[in-house]
Amino acid sequence: MDKHLQELLQQEDQKRRDEEVRRTYALSQKSEGMVILLSILLAFGAYLYTRRWKALMVFLGWCFFLGVLFSDEEGEVSLPGLFLASTWAAVDNCSAIQRAREEIERLRSGQNPDVDRQT
């Protein structure tokens, strides 16, 4: 029974690792140019495109906080606030795509993804 339980746990761990690799690969295939365009048009659009839901929630939380800081007397968000949100979305999503590409390249080259690279 104990051996069977270990096998099941190993299978579940493998499924989780496989799913993570699939998500990383899908992110690595996204276009950085599209991310920049979407973040200019609609800042959170870049997060929808990259399908990074947790990062989107953090982004929206910070946008709410910054919206309070950068709003004018009528409560509307000012141009610096919109620029900051668009820039943040573009940089965050482009760097996520770059990290995903590096991770896929490490997997292809056979390096252990759990070991930190020293630069």
Side-chain angles (χ1 to χ4, degrees):
M1 182 76 171
D2 191 32
K3 186 177 181 179
H4 181 67
L5 180 61
Q6 283 181 333
E7 288 177 11
L8 287 174
L9 290 173
Q10 288 174 348
Q11 289 173 357
E12 288 301 316
D13 285 343
Q14 185 62 41
K15 285 180 187 178
R16 275 195 293 276
R17 284 191 298 269
D18 290 346
E19 182 59 32
E20 183 63 31
V21 169
R22 278 192 285 280
R23 279 194 304 262
T24 302
Y25 181 77
L27 181 60
S28 74
Q29 299 302 301
K30 301 291 182 179
S31 166
E32 292 171 328
M34 181 62 79
V35 163
I36 293 169
L37 177 67
L38 287 171
S39 66
I40 290 170
L41 296 175
L42 188 63
F44 69 87
Y47 287 97
L48 297 177
Y49 173 67
T50 57
R51 302 178 63 87
R52 297 177 58 229
W53 309 122
K54 291 177 188 175
L56 173 63
M57 293 300 122
V58 171
F59 174 76
L60 292 176
W62 275 105
C63 283
F64 176 75
F65 175 71
L66 293 175
V68 171
L69 292 179
F70 286 102
S71 62
D72 58 14
E73 293 80 31
E74 291 89 35
E76 295 182 11
V77 177
S78 64
L79 193 56
L82 292 174
F83 177 75
L84 183 61
S86 293
T87 303
W88 178 7
V91 169
D92 184 35
N93 282 291
C94 284
S95 63
I97 290 170
Q98 187 60 40
R99 285 190 309 270
R101 289 177 180 168
E102 290 170 359
E103 181 68 22
I104 294 300
E105 190 58 38
R106 274 197 302 268
L107 290 171
R108 283 185 178 149
S109 68
Q111 291 179 2
N112 186 350
D114 296 330
V115 176
D116 292 332
R117 290 190 320 171
Q118 294 180 0
T119 55

